[in-house]
Every structure is written in C-alpha cells, then in structure tokens.
Amino acid sequence: MGAQVTFEDRVWQVTGLAGGRVYMVAGDGDSACVLASALVAAPGFAVIGASSAPPVVPVLWETVPLAVQERALSWLRHIREVETGLPGGPGSGVPRPEYEPQAFTLAEREAAKARELTGLGWARVSRSTVQRMRLVYGRQGLWGLVDKRHLRGPSPTGRADERVVAAVLEALRRCRGRRKTTIRQVIELTERIVADTHGPHQVRLPARSSLYRLVKALADPAEPPGSAARTATAAGPAGGPPAALRPAERVQVATAGLGCGAVGEDGTGVTVAVTAALDQASGCVLAAVVHPEQDGPVQLSVLLAEMAVPRPLRPGWPALLQQAHVGGPVRRLMSLPDRIEATAARPAAVPETLVLDRGPAGVTSAHLTVCESLGISLEPAPPRAAGAASGALRTLQVLAGLFTRHAVAARPALTAGQQDRADEADGVYWSMPQLQDLLDEWITGVWHHRSQEQLRHPLLPRAGLTPKEMWQVLLGAAGRVPLPLAGQHYGELLPARRCAVTESGIRLGGRRYDDACLDEHRGRGDRFEVHHHPHDPRQVFVRLPDGQLHAVPWALGEHGLRPFDELLRRRTGTVLAHRAAGGGTAAVEPGGLSVYDAEAEAGQW
C-alpha cells in the first residue's frame, strides 16, 4: 500500500490489494486493476525506490578442484566468525573471547583472525588479506572465495584418481572432530570407502606415501585430522515447524513417481518422476520438473530458476511455448492464446524458506550460497513416523496420480498397423519434453483450479478453495506481493560448464546449439561459460565477453514440429529395441530406410 510502481511505461501508486488484484492510480487520475501475478511478471515492471535484486552467484562449483573447494569453505567459516563472532555463523554456539563483537571492533577481529591463520600454517595471511576476502565474499558470495588460478591449471592433487580423492575427502569428513584420529587411520578409512563404493580391487590405490601426501593436501589447515570440530551446532529445539500464513513464505520440495513411462534420449523406455515445489500456504505448484527417475535428484538451482522467474520474462518464452504446443496431442485442454494468458498469470516468487524432503533435490555448497544471496532460508522437512508421508509428498502423489490418468488418456488411438511393438512392450508413448509440456498445461489449467481438502478454513469446513483462489485470498490478507526475479536471472541460476565455440556452434549433451551471436568467437579455442537446463534441451545460455548471457537455441529445435518426425522417433525406438534384443544392425537400402525382419514388418516401411 502506497508503493509507486512502473507498469506499461507509466508510474502508478498502489491504493489497494484485495482478491489477488492490485488497485493503482496514475498521476493523471487514471485507475487500473491488475492481477498481482500478472503485474509482477509484466515486462518493464519495477518498484520505485526498492533495492535492486541481489546478484546471482554463478553455479560453477562443479568445475572447481576439490582442494580449492575445501579452501574456499575454510575461508567461509573464518569470515563468518569474523563478522558474527560465532564459529559457524548465526545461531551456532558461543563466541570465542577474541571474536566477541561487543568487546572488539571489526578491524580487531580481522587482525585476530590473521594471527590465528598464520599460527595454523596459512602462508601470507595479514589483516588486509582477511579484509579483502571478507569484502569479496560480500559481493560475490562463495564464488568470490575460490582461487581462480586453479580453474584452468592442473589439479593440486596431481595425477591421483578422482575416485580416490573423493574417498579421502569423505574420510576426512567422517573423522572431523575426533581428537585421536591419525593420518594412518584416515588412509585406512579411505581404502575401505573405495572398496565399498567401487568394489574390491576395482580402483588402483597409490602407495601409502602418496596417500599420506594426498591427505595432507586435502585436509583443512584450520581443522587437521585429530582436531575438534569448531563449527558443530547444537540440536534444534523440539516441536513442529510454524504454519505458513503468506504466499511463498514456506515452499516444500518433494519428489514422486509417475505411473506413465516416457521415451528416453537413447530411444528406450524410462521410468519418470516429478520433483515439485509446492507453496504450503496456498497449495500452488511454483515449479514442477519431469525427469528420469534413474538420473537422481533435480538440482536445487534448477528448481529456483523455475519457481522464481515468471515464464513471460524468460528468453524466447512465447516461441518455445508455441513449439511445445504444436508438438503435443491434437486435443488440448486450452487453446494457445488462452494458455499464454493463463501461464502468464501463474504465480512465481522467490520463497522465504525452502523445506527440503529427504533427498528430493541436489544441494551443494554453491547452491547454499545462491540461497544465501537471495535471502532464502533452507531447512529439512520435520521427521515423521516410519512409512508416513509428509503433507507435501501426499499432495504431490495425488497430483502425480491424476496427471498420469490425463497423460494416458491424451494418447491418440493408434491402429494395429500404426502402433510400434517397442511402444506396446514398454507402455510408453510420450517423449520427455512432451510429458513436461503436458504437465505444465495440466497444472495451469486443471490443478490450480481444483478444490483441495487442505485449503479449507476451520470455520468453513465445507468450502474448499482452489490453489489459485487461496493465493489471491492470502495476497489480500498479507498486504504484500512476493516479488519474483528478473528474466536475466533464469539463465544465471541454471547449472554451468565451460564449452568451446566451434565452427558449427556449441556442442553439449549430443546436441548442437548455434546462433549469430557466436560468429566472431567460432574456432578460436576459447572456452565459454555455458548455462543449461538439464531437463530442457531447447536452448542454452552462453556468457560472451560482454559479460551478458545470450540465449542460443538448439539448432534442430524445430525438428520435432514436423508430423512425420514423430513417426520417425517411434520407428527409431523400434530399431533400437530390435538391436538390443540381439537382432544385429539393420541394413540400409539406397533409399535410406532401414530394412530388418521383413516378415514381421511387412507393409510397415
């Protein structure tokens, strides 16, 4: 109330917020009423006088050598102790005397930390060094603490096997805080971890002397083997989590399997799961990602990009939606114009707290830094009885069951001559992109308009609201609209890797991406930072020397729009299934069609 916003190239003042709509008045007396979710997602919208969105830390943590990661994490602990006085940051233990904020200034605490690190064997650490690292952490987060000299140079672990290095780090983690642990015990634990993880005699271990040097190189200088853990925190207070009263106050992430399969990238059937972020207060699905179940959890940064950036602000969104709409079933729930309008009004926001269930999302130190820069708190889901499911998981299981029936019913009826034997055997029809598009359309057009039992007021037990209605009710009650991120943040949040720009473009995951913006960088041998959505291959984002991320489309992105290509996809799956069954490689006639098992496939090719 009272805030001034920019909308449609005019300045408005907010005069009211009710029913999920924002009432505004312009300087010339014109008034307007706009749906809140559509207002914040409109191009050019901004809150006048509000602080700009915090910078998003690049998710390049996977490209950093393990020893450099450990060094950066060590600096992170020391910087937090300098700033807060607590060894593990806010809410973790009692300050040590030399870091008491009430007794010593920030400069004195920096000098004390420099003396401590010098005594622990850290080379060339002065007060100015601690101050510089603290300031760069404030600007860039954890990524600013990474030693950039190691990004392209040789690994500090030499030629050691990465599996052995990972086992040493795991052994050091397990032994942290044990006062009587020796390096020999760490080496013996490393050998057991390697044998348990990869099997006996499957990984060649270096000599004991090399392992000794490897442990010394990977150990944290501030916490060598045998030292007590200074960053351990006390157990949290008993009791359940507080109830969510505002939109995007608490968003829970959960994963559930789908009853329908899909065609994987190798042409075979795969089991499919969906990882979703559900707003606890309203029941709205802020993000839902379909992925192969065997690929493991969805990365947290991908979920953040899906839930925090409105679809209309994402690069190339209308064209991508039109392509997906054409490539799906013939009979749709909504027409393309209606779907664009409904999707534009779909809620999107930066959550205040993310509640993570047991292992649904891949969380790394880089992801934690991204959440810290955006002001997002992370907490685990409360413990529950054996065999019991959390509220979000039960809701997602109901959603998955209803959507499975919709996906099966949306399959076109094929005649016996049109149905592929591979599809009949595996029970799959949709590809992964098609299944994702079906789910997005179904959530927007069905789930958000379906009454739910948990969205009932205690004094009105027979009046269940839909997630969209509850979102609008809570916006009016809270008196504020949770703001999403800008469009350029979508690519920044996605996982990144470094790729070369060849004469034909960028090659990633067996696909080629090309655009005119790459012309002046082709074939020079430089490797660029490329952000990509692991479960959406339609485009990638490359950071060029101008510092901006540029969307580069898949060179064959329109390949799936031609009707005949859907038949070719299913025929290709049949060929691969025949090969896997021991049928050998199919012959190729001059006409370009594969010929095999002529008696069984008579009339099909």
Side-chain angles (χ1 to χ4, degrees), residues 39 44 73 117 136 140 162 261 272 339 478 497 557:
L39 175 65
L73 293 175
L117 296 180
V136 75
Q140 303 180 20
E162 293 183 358
V272 181
R339 186 177 176 188
R497 58 191 304 180

Side-chain angles (χ1 to χ4, degrees), residues 144-166:
L145 304 180
V146 174
D147 189 349
K148 308 302 188 299
R149 296 175 300 174
H150 297 79
L151 288 180
R152 297 184 181 180
S155 171
T157 57
R159 299 182 180 179
D161 194 319
E162 293 183 358
R163 295 170 292 183
V164 178
V165 174

Side-chain angles (χ1 to χ4, degrees), residues 281-464:
S282 65
C284 286
V285 180
L286 299 182
V289 178
V290 175
H291 58 96
E293 195 168 8
Q294 61 268 26
D295 285 359
V298 177
Q299 296 189 34
L300 181 60
S301 58
V302 175
L303 290 174
L304 286 175
E306 289 289 335
M307 74 177 75
V309 180
R311 285 161 176 78
L313 300 182
R314 300 177 188 177
W317 173 74
L320 295 177
L321 181 61
Q322 184 177 4
Q323 290 180 9
H325 194 85
V326 173
V330 177
R331 290 183 295 178
R332 285 282 190 172
L333 295 174
M334 297 178 288
S335 65
L336 181 59
D338 292 340
R339 186 177 176 188
I340 291 177
E341 182 180 356
T343 306
R346 185 170 167 178
V350 178
E352 298 179 25
T353 300
L354 270 180
V355 183
L356 303 180
D357 210 340
R358 294 181 297 175
V363 182
T364 65
S365 300
H367 300 153
L368 295 177
T369 304
V370 171
C371 293
E372 183 179 19
S373 64
L374 296 176
I376 302 174
S377 301
L378 294 180
E379 67 178 49
R384 53 180 183 269
S390 64
L393 181 57
R394 289 194 302 269
T395 301
L396 186 59
Q397 289 172 345
V398 173
L399 182 151
L402 294 175
F403 170 71
T404 298
R405 288 191 288 180
H406 167 70
V408 173
R411 284 186 51 172
L414 301 178
T415 64
Q418 295 173 325
Q419 180 65 55
D420 290 290
R421 293 184 303 171
D423 290 346
E424 290 176 348
D426 298 335
V428 299
Y429 178 84
W430 304 113
S431 65
M432 293 295 294
Q434 289 175 334
L435 202 59
Q436 179 68 61
D437 177 64
L438 280 176
L439 178 61
D440 289 338
E441 181 186 37
W442 185 81
I443 289 176
T444 303
V446 177
W447 181 260
H448 281 176
H449 298 272
R450 183 177 182 271
S451 299
Q452 297 188 17
E453 181 179 355
Q454 62 270 25
L455 301 181
R456 298 180 180 179
H457 193 278
L459 299 181
L460 301 173
R462 297 185 180 180

Side-chain angles (χ1 to χ4, degrees), residues 509-523:
R511 299 180 179 88
R512 182 172 63 88
Y513 299 87
D514 198 7
D515 191 70
C517 66
L518 304 178
D519 289 345
E520 58 179 311
H521 308 289
R522 300 179 189 272

